[in-house]
């Protein structure tokens, strides 16, 4: 039986670049990823509590598709000129390659319009999975536990989705300490999201490249997760 996973990318566009950023994601990145065998679905999210502001997640099955040539052909050194140009204009970029630890769950449903992510330092999947019931989630919520791959910094994540953000509880610090037990000391944050809804803008990077402002093809420094050579 294959192990599912998720590719999650977080970043923030530079001031004045939001229209370009959204068109880049919606017109190039998401369609390119959707064509790769094993990518089961893609969704985009706006952070309402936390930073960076934008997050995208791609459900994959099997997890190993993220190490295969079909995926590598659209990322890293094979990025398009538009992607290279846009990546030089974003901040806070993080890439999480996540292997699912829970079983019997589904990919992020199209009906989900709220999402919460809890992130922990280190690989602590067995104890974090045990904490899911203690978070007292309504039955309408789906909760999954993940660990990062060996190519990324060691982290564990709980990802909760629901039809609306208001259906996912907001916990006090005391609630989290009680639910998470010893793992509370490794919690790095709680991020809350609502689903991104696309506007009708169409922006083309070619229209904004001139001889006086040449396209930047180099990746921005110190943006990637250490030890990770596949930025998206």
């Amino acid at each position: 039986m294959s192990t599912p996973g998720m590719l999650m990318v977080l970043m923030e566009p530079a001031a004045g670049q939001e229209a370009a950023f959204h068109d880049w994601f919606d017109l190039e990145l998401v369609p390119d990823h959707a064509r790769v065998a094993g990518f089961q679905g893609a969704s985009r999210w706006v952070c309402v509590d936390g930073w960076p502001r934008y997050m995208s997640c791609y459900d994959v099955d099997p997890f190993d598709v993220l190490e295969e040539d079909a995926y590598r052909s659209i990322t890293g050194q094979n990025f398009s000129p538009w992607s290279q140009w846009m990546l030089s204009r974003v901040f806070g970029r993080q890439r999480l390659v996540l292997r699912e630890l829970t079983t019997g769950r589904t990919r992020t449903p199209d009906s989900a319009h709220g999402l919460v992510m809890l992130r922990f330092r280190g690989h602590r999947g067995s104890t974090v999975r045990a904490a899911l019931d203690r978070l007292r989630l309504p039955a309408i919520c789906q909760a999954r536990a993940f660990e990062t791959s060996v190519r990324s910094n060691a982290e564990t994540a709980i990802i909760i989705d629901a039809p609306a953000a208001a259906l996912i509880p907001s916990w006090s610090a005391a609630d989290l300490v009680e639910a998470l037990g010893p793992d509370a000391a490794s919690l790095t944050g709680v991020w809350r999201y609502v689903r991104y809804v696309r506007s009708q803008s169409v922006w083309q990077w070619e229209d904004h490249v001139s001889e006086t402002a040449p396209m930047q093809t180099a990746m921005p420094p110190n943006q990637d997760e250490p030890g990770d050579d596949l930025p998206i």
Side-chain angles (χ1 to χ4, degrees), residues 54-91:
Y54 296 107
M55 181 269 284
S56 60
C57 63
Y58 305 89
D59 291 277
V60 299
D61 192 0
F63 170 82
D64 293 340
V65 71
L66 296 171
E67 299 292 339
E68 295 178 355
D69 289 344
Y71 172 62
R72 290 175 181 271
S73 71
I74 62 168
T75 190
Q77 298 303 313
N78 296 312
F79 274 134
S80 72
W82 191 5
S83 288
Q84 294 179 49
W85 187 88
M86 197 68 241
L87 283 169
S88 69
R89 290 161 170 80
V90 298
F91 299 94

Side-chain angles (χ1 to χ4, degrees), residues 6-14 21-22 24-25 29 33 43-58 71 79 86-87 89-98 115-119 148 152-153 155-159 188-194 220 222-225 228 230-232:
M6 180 183 290
L7 172 64
M8 181 177 287
V9 183
L10 304 90
M11 63 181 80
E12 178 100 5
F21 177 81
H22 291 311
W24 169 57
F25 253 99
L29 281 188
H33 285 68
S43 55
R44 296 191 57 207
W45 302 86
V46 181
C47 191
V48 295
D49 187 2
W51 188 88
R53 187 177 181 195
Y54 296 107
M55 181 269 284
S56 60
C57 63
Y58 305 89
Y71 172 62
F79 274 134
M86 197 68 241
L87 283 169
R89 290 161 170 80
V90 298
F91 299 94
R93 180 158 48 94
Q94 302 171 54
R95 177 180 178 272
L96 302 177
V97 178
L98 301 166
L115 186 145
V116 169
M117 175 170 61
L118 295 80
R119 291 172 67 176
T148 52
S152 305
N153 287 338
E155 288 191 52
T156 304
I158 293 173
I159 298 174
T188 59
V190 179
W191 285 257
R192 301 186 73 89
Y193 298 90
V194 295
N222 302 320
Q223 296 284 323
D224 297 327
E225 289 290 313
D228 196 344
L230 299 175
I232 289 185

Side-chain angles (χ1 to χ4, degrees), residues 45 108-115 161-166 168 193-197:
W45 302 86
T108 309
D110 294 339
S111 60
H113 287 268
L115 186 145
D161 63 68
I168 305 175
Y193 298 90
V194 295
R195 188 179 282 266
Y196 159 82
V197 178

Side-chain angles (χ1 to χ4, degrees), residues 117-137:
M117 175 170 61
L118 295 80
R119 291 172 67 176
F120 304 82
R121 289 185 298 274
H123 286 164
R124 49 192 71 251
S126 59
T127 54
V128 164
R129 274 183 295 175
L132 291 179
D133 290 339
R134 297 194 298 272
L135 288 172
R136 301 189 182 95
L137 296 170

